[in-house]
Each structure stands twice: as C-alpha cells, then as structure tokens.
Amino acid sequence: MSDTPGARLQTLFDGHRLTPTQRRIAHWMVRRAADVPFLSSVELAELAGVSQPSVTRFAVALGFDGYPALRRHLREVAPAEPGRPAGDGAAEGPPANEYQQAVHAEIENLRHLAELLADPAPVERAGALLAASRPLPVLGLRAAAAQARGFAYFAAKVHPDVRLLDEGGSMLTDRVDAAVRAGATALLCFALPRHPREVVEALEYARGAGLAVVTVADSAFAPVAGHSDVLLPAAVGTALAFDTACAPMLLGRALLEAMCDGLPEAQARLEEFDAGAAARGLFVE
C-alpha cells in the first residue's frame, strides 16, 4: 500500500470497530487527508456532516484522549517535504482513494481466508454436518440476512429441504422447534457485525434442542463462538460506512461445495434443474 496521507490514515483506522457515524468521519478524513491535521473538531464535524461530540467520540474510539491528541498525532506522522517542516500536512501525491482502500482491505481478507482454507478439515466437517441434516435450517438476521439468503438459494438446488430463518422475533424459536421435529440435526448460521443479541440466544436455544451449530462469523472471537460446534471465521471489511462481506460470502460458497460432496444426489438435482430451466426458457441464452 502506498505511503500517502490517505493510506496512513487508513492504517490508523484498521482494526478498530467503528460505528457508521464514525466511519463517515473516517471517510472524510481520508478524502481530505492532507488538510485533516489542521482542521478543528468543529470544522471536521461540518465537513463530515456530523456533530462535534461525534468527532470527539471517534478520536477516543481510536485510542486517543480526544480530538486534539489525534490531530497532534497526525501532525507528528506527516512526512516533511524539502523546505517544509514535518507535520505541515503536505502530500507527496494525490490523496489515497477510499474506494481503492476498501478494495485492498477486502483483498487482504480474502488472502487471509485462503490461508485458513489451507486446512480444509473444518469446512469439510461442517459440510458433512449440513448435508446430513434433513431439513437444514439456515439462520441469518439483520446484516447477515443477505448471506443466509444467498446460501439458502443455492443450497435448495441440491438439498431436499432448506429452511431460511432470516427474521427474528418470537417466531424464531418456533421455527427452530419445527425444524427439529421434522428431523433436523444441524443448523447453519451466518453471524456478522453488529451481532444481534437474538442470534446468540437463538444459537443457544438450537444447541439446547439438540442441533449441531455451524457458524460463519467475522472472527473466531465473535459473540456466537461459545454457541457453535464448528466456527468458520471470515473477516468483514470495515473501510466503508457499512461492512463489506466478500470473505464470508466466499466462505459460504466453499461450504456449499463441501456440502455437495456429502450429497450423492447433488449433481443429479443440478442436471434436473438445468433441464427444467431450458425447457421453460427460464434464462436468456
């Protein structure tokens, strides 16, 4: 990654769990990286469209005593150019593009996932558990609902009974009970930040009901870890206002592949679907 003001700011933000408001501040700081060391908290708040106390809380979230300490740090680490004192905010080139920074961060997440998958045993074990469960409940609430829905869509093409659980509330435990009564032996959960309390409670309930829980989470230390029989970590990107989940999505597809290996009828089901789709003209050729 290049040593530009924006890149240095992004490095400062990496590893911190920021709220959407705090990420908005971070984005504007990256956009105006050369000017930030000289902006007051009020000026930065106006620039980002947030309150001045939000800027103060943002600095504290990064580990500083307040915004003045953060600004002091930024002035100290700013490189000097010939004839100019260190820390005057002069840029060596155009500020880093925050969208590119987000892409680079996701690439790093995918590289880390590739390293984890060097040992395929956890994914293979999880795939076998899911393949053997009839029905197969797939849980994902709030931010994780899209991941659960995508997995369930494809899984239904090879698994005879997939049940998507993407809505919380009092009906959630009822639907877990119904799956258990129908013969379910495992549940797949996608758990991504910010982690809803009811997901943790649902997994605790599911295990109490006798289900083996396979969880795709953003970290091995996620709140759901203690309620999972197999935890498969895949980091989310935090460089934009809302998390990006490329690594969890890819891990979900790898898990689908492992599940197919445990379903002898998977290929036949796929061929049957393709034949039916062609007969109905379902897709544009």
Side-chain angles (χ1 to χ4, degrees):
M1 192 174 291
S2 60
D3 184 28
T4 64
R8 287 189 293 275
L9 278 172
Q10 192 63 54
T11 299
L12 177 64
F13 303 147
D14 286 346
H16 293 280
R17 173 57 56 188
L18 303 177
T19 68
T21 296
Q22 290 167 351
R23 292 185 199 176
R24 180 177 178 83
I25 298 170
H27 298 163
W28 277 101
M29 289 180 70
V30 170
R31 286 185 176 183
R32 299 288 295 274
D35 302 324
V36 163
F38 307 96
L39 296 178
S40 69
S41 60
V42 173
E43 290 170 330
L44 180 57
E46 291 178 352
L47 186 66
V50 302
S51 67
Q52 188 274 336
S54 293
V55 173
T56 299
R57 288 192 292 270
F58 170 73
V60 172
L62 294 179
F64 296 93
D65 292 336
Y67 181 73
L70 170 59
R71 186 171 61 176
R72 226 173 12 251
H73 170 78
L74 295 178
R75 289 180 176 180
E76 290 170 356
V77 300
E81 288 186 355
R84 309 182 80 167
D88 70 348
E92 296 176 349
N97 181 314
E98 70 268 27
Y99 308 120
Q100 290 178 306
Q101 297 285 350
V103 172
H104 285 305
E106 283 290 14
I107 290 172
E108 288 304 311
N109 287 341
L110 291 173
R111 284 181 178 145
H112 183 58
L113 177 60
E115 293 172 1
L116 290 177
L117 291 176
D119 177 11
V123 172
E124 291 172 349
R125 180 190 170 205
L129 287 171
L130 303 182
S133 183
R134 310 292 175 88
L136 171 60
V138 179
L139 171 65
L141 303 183
R142 294 185 179 268
Q147 301 297 324
R149 196 173 300 118
F151 183 97
Y153 172 80
F154 290 110
K157 297 183 183 300
V158 295
H159 191 287
D161 190 355
V162 178
R163 302 189 182 185
L164 176 63
L165 311 179
D166 62 349
E167 295 182 359
S170 61
M171 291 292 292
L172 184 55
T173 53
D174 292 348
R175 297 179 70 187
V176 170
D177 285 338
V180 172
R181 286 195 300 270
T185 56
L187 175 145
L188 171 63
C189 174
F190 286 87
L192 303 179
R194 302 165 70 181
H195 296 276
R197 185 181 304 277
E198 59 187 330
V199 169
V200 178
E201 294 170 348
L203 295 191
E204 183 178 11
Y205 185 85
R207 292 185 83 195
L211 294 178
V213 172
V214 174
T215 304
V216 173
D218 59 301
S219 165
F221 304 100
V224 295
H227 304 288
S228 304
D229 295 282
V230 181
L231 183 74
L232 304 173
V236 298
T238 58
L240 300 176
F242 299 100
D243 286 342
T244 49
C246 296
M249 181 186 69
L250 183 53
L251 181 54
R253 296 298 185 270
L255 191 52
L256 268 171
E257 187 77 10
M259 190 181 77
C260 286
D261 292 340
L263 293 168
E265 68 274 23
Q267 188 57 41
R269 286 180 178 275
L270 285 175
E271 291 175 0
E272 179 182 358
F273 173 80
D274 286 341
R280 289 180 290 154
L282 189 60
F283 301 111
V284 177
E285 297 296 335

